Amino acid sequence: MTSLELLSPARNLECGISAIDHGADAVYIGAHKFGARAAAGNSIEDISSLCRYAHKFGAKVYVTVNTIIFDDEIHDTVTMVKQLKEAGADAILIQDMGLYEELKRSGININLHASTQTDNRTVEKVRWLSSLGIKRTVLARELSIEEIAEIHRAIPDMELEVFVHGALCVSYSGQCYASQLCFNRSANRGECAQFCRMTFDLLDADGNEVEHARHLLSLRDMAQLDNIESLAKAGAVSFKIEGRLKDTDYVKNITAAYSERLNEICRRNPQHYRRASMGKGSYTFTPDINKTFNRGFTTYFANGRQQQLASFDTPKALGEAVGTVKEIRRNSFNVSSTASFCNGDGLCFFDNDRQLIGFRVNKAEGNRLYPLTMPKGLRPGTALYRNHDQAFEALISKPSSTRKVSIDMTLHIKSNSLTLTVTDEHGHVSTATMSYTPQTAIKPQEENIKRQLSKLGTTIFSARDITIESDVNQPFIPNSLLAELRRMAVETDTEQTENNASNITRAQESGAIPSRYEKPYLYNASNKAAQTFYNNIGIEATSVETHNANAPSTEAQTIIMQCRYCIKAELGYCTRHGRKAPWKEPLTLRLSPNGRVFTILFDCKKCEMRIKT
């Protein structure tokens, strides 16, 4: 049977606990440094607290240590990983092979997951990672379901983690140097300046504008809610929600939505799947992925190349479509919609210049809305989106889920002892026994015994079934004994679950090497340990990114992005399958804020696009 894991982001301890409460089987969180989100760091103490909470449910905590690391940071990073292991972390995510080498040399035994930053999109690369003893590979977001299945068939022992929801980078992860070279802020160091969310002009070979001031590289957000079962059948075991900078309300809603879908899949396929952790949340709200931050949704390349991957008009959140403007008065308008509106709702629309205009509803009377100030450009027929649902946000901002683990209890009553056996959802069995001097009850005790044993109070457990087996005729058992027996058995089960952490078993290194990149800096070898590691397998690796963060002297020849996304295909002019383009190539992108120009290279044989300085 395959365990399916819902993996949620945790910006901090509070967010991580909320993720667990709302159905996550695991969370990933950044330590105080060396994670791929510089603004999302957490102390060892907080991570330890999160581990203790998660482990009660058999859930796991993975810590991101997935930046590239400089020479003077290696020692501190290794020390930090040792502290993370002692804090109870179940695995760390890494990108830097220098860190891999130093951890191996130091003998620190902790599960290693290959971050998506290591650019994992081929059978050869994943097989190589497996040969290094890597336990799990986080696959590139760009892979199709069939490509994931191909990797699983080739390396069935490798755990495959896939992104299923959240923001999309336009470049293959780990292969984007735009932020570093243009703004001196390294995406591989957790400081991305979001180059791909900026506005560009698209120019043809003659300098003619094909597109003006549009967000040509800004992708919609991924939403694979309807593809979860297909991804599971393809071999994915962990389903990752992006968003370590997102707030707690986002994590609650999206986690709950995907958790419900996974529960439904497990209910329909009990012989094939189960959840990776125990317990089920009871929500005070109805999860809806449309009600929290999104740029519009796409399944990306899950089912092959398609259009409408990007959001050319805005990189901001649109929210859910809620109808169209029907009629406008001086200070109000009404909406043709089945949605309900509240005072404080945030709405937005595109004006005639394709600019996104947002406004707040000051008062709502049914479908007649009174903005604080009537927005310019609003017209009858205008499509409206709600990017802040006041009623939903008020509901979800409060305590909104309680997670309970179902247990079965069997009480064995013997002539000299009481034994309580507890079996949890994953079949873990714990027992507690105490001496007992039989007394005869005046009236039947079965209902009282079950009632007392089911009083699990503030524990994480909920009694599903209670069975009584007795060698004594109509025994009387004091409530105090039943309470103590229950406490002993439940504590034993909790301890067993918390101590059920897995240890890494390193594979023997096979000497295999990954598919070679065209440029040595694509290996992101920014320290001597990484360079030595690659040299030992016959690869001369360097890095764009050095300790002083200066751009390399060959910047003018540098490929700053490699993408499966293609502007030509998005515009309907795919060389293979689209119309013939009305322009002459090469195409260039001109960054609207400062006029800097970048050349676009199309490799139609590989079905890829590259951007060059």
Side-chain angles (χ1 to χ4, degrees), residues 283-296:
Y283 312 126
T284 64
F285 65 99
T286 301
D288 185 345
I289 64 173
N290 295 294
K291 288 188 176 294
T292 43
F293 184 98
N294 69 83
R295 301 176 177 90

Side-chain angles (χ1 to χ4, degrees), residues 276-340:
S277 65
M278 299 182 296
K280 183 179 179 183
S282 56
Y283 312 126
T284 64
F285 65 99
T286 301
D288 185 345
I289 64 173
N290 295 294
K291 288 188 176 294
T292 43
F293 184 98
N294 69 83
R295 301 176 177 90
F297 290 126
T298 175
T299 56
Y300 210 25
F301 292 96
N303 298 300
R305 183 175 291 281
Q306 56 187 311
Q307 287 181 277
Q308 298 185 328
L309 301 182
S311 178
F312 282 174
D313 292 328
T314 181
K316 298 178 181 178
L318 285 179
E320 57 180 337
V322 290
T324 58
V325 176
K326 186 175 181 180
E327 174 260 346
I328 298 177
R329 297 179 186 172
R330 183 177 60 86
N331 64 342
S332 69
F333 62 93
N334 63 1
V335 184
S336 176
S337 175
T338 58
S340 297

Side-chain angles (χ1 to χ4, degrees), residues 42-102:
N42 296 274
S43 68
I44 298 295
E45 291 75 17
D46 279 357
I47 291 173
S48 178
S49 295
L50 180 57
C51 290
R52 288 194 298 272
Y53 188 80
H55 292 168
K56 292 178 182 178
F57 299 94
K60 296 183 184 290
V61 176
Y62 309 136
V63 184
T64 56
V65 193
N66 57 337
T67 62
I68 57 173
I69 299 165
F70 298 142
D71 284 313
D72 61 352
E73 298 169 332
I74 283 282
H75 175 75
D76 287 347
T77 311
V78 171
T79 299
M80 185 184 73
V81 172
K82 183 179 180 181
Q83 293 170 337
L84 290 169
K85 175 179 171 60
E86 293 169 351
D90 296 284
I92 63 166
L93 284 81
I94 66 168
Q95 172 188 186
D96 197 306
M97 287 297 113
L99 176 58
Y100 166 87
E101 190 73 2
E102 289 301 302

Side-chain angles (χ1 to χ4, degrees), residues 548-569:
N548 61 16
N550 289 326
S553 59
T554 56
E555 177 184 352
Q557 302 301 317
T558 300
I559 302 295
I560 63 171
M561 278 187 176
Q562 298 192 74
C563 318
R564 196 169 201 175
Y565 164 79
C566 175
I567 288 178
K568 286 201 301 185

Side-chain angles (χ1 to χ4, degrees), residues 168-223:
L168 288 166
C169 299
V170 72
S171 174
Y172 292 118
S173 292
Q175 306 298 294
C176 181
Y177 306 96
S179 181
Q180 166 70 13
L181 295 179
C182 297
F183 304 104
N184 205 21
R185 290 173 54 182
S186 168
N188 281 311
R189 297 272 293 171
E191 300 171 339
C192 178
Q194 295 198 312
F195 176 87
C196 58
R197 303 297 180 191
M198 297 178 178
T199 54
F200 297 89
D201 304 322
L202 181 64
L203 310 176
D204 68 10
D206 297 322
N208 300 313
E209 279 195 358
V210 178
E211 295 285 344
H212 175 71
R214 304 195 75 187
H215 301 273
L216 297 170
L217 300 178
S218 182
L219 300 185
R220 299 179 183 226
D221 287 355
M222 178 185 281

Side-chain angles (χ1 to χ4, degrees), residues 169-408:
C169 299
V170 72
S171 174
Y172 292 118
S173 292
Q175 306 298 294
C176 181
Y177 306 96
S179 181
Q180 166 70 13
L181 295 179
C182 297
F183 304 104
N184 205 21
R185 290 173 54 182
S186 168
N188 281 311
R189 297 272 293 171
E191 300 171 339
C192 178
Q194 295 198 312
F195 176 87
C196 58
R197 303 297 180 191
M198 297 178 178
T199 54
F200 297 89
D201 304 322
L202 181 64
L203 310 176
D204 68 10
D206 297 322
N208 300 313
E209 279 195 358
V210 178
E211 295 285 344
H212 175 71
R214 304 195 75 187
H215 301 273
L216 297 170
L217 300 178
S218 182
L219 300 185
R220 299 179 183 226
D221 287 355
M222 178 185 281
Q224 303 282 18
L225 197 61
D226 295 331
N227 283 329
I228 296 296
E229 189 165 0
S230 295
L231 288 165
K233 290 178 179 177
V237 296
S238 182
F239 307 93
K240 187 172 193 171
I241 298 168
E242 186 277 338
R244 274 197 296 121
L245 296 180
K246 292 292 193 293
D247 61 24
T248 300
D249 291 352
Y250 175 96
V251 171
K252 286 181 178 182
N253 183 35
I254 303 303
T255 298
Y258 279 85
S259 183
E260 286 195 339
R261 183 58 55 89
L262 279 170
N263 285 342
E264 186 263 332
I265 292 169
C266 292
R267 278 195 301 270
R268 285 192 289 101
N269 302 276
Q271 71 280 21
H272 296 303
Y273 304 123
R274 72 171 187 178
R275 294 297 296 273
S277 65
M278 299 182 296
K280 183 179 179 183
S282 56
Y283 312 126
T284 64
F285 65 99
T286 301
D288 185 345
I289 64 173
N290 295 294
K291 288 188 176 294
T292 43
F293 184 98
N294 69 83
R295 301 176 177 90
F297 290 126
T298 175
T299 56
Y300 210 25
F301 292 96
N303 298 300
R305 183 175 291 281
Q306 56 187 311
Q307 287 181 277
Q308 298 185 328
L309 301 182
S311 178
F312 282 174
D313 292 328
T314 181
K316 298 178 181 178
L318 285 179
E320 57 180 337
V322 290
T324 58
V325 176
K326 186 175 181 180
E327 174 260 346
I328 298 177
R329 297 179 186 172
R330 183 177 60 86
N331 64 342
S332 69
F333 62 93
N334 63 1
V335 184
S336 176
S337 175
T338 58
S340 297
F341 297 94
C342 291
N343 301 347
D345 278 355
L347 302 180
C348 59
F349 66 94
F350 288 105
D351 67 12
N352 290 337
D353 295 323
R354 295 188 303 202
Q355 296 299 307
L356 187 66
I357 308 297
F359 62 96
R360 185 78 69 176
V361 175
N362 191 44
K363 182 173 67 173
E365 295 180 348
N367 279 19
R368 179 153 293 277
L369 308 181
Y370 295 81
L372 185 62
T373 302
M374 281 293 289
K376 294 181 180 179
L378 194 67
R379 301 284 186 271
T382 298
L384 290 174
Y385 302 88
R386 176 162 53 194
N387 53 17
H388 178 83
D389 188 324
Q390 180 67 20
F392 185 79
E393 294 294 335
L395 187 63
I396 202 171
S397 63
K398 301 174 183 177
S400 52
S401 178
T402 302
R403 182 167 175 171
K404 293 287 186 179
V405 176
S406 295
I407 56 175
D408 296 329

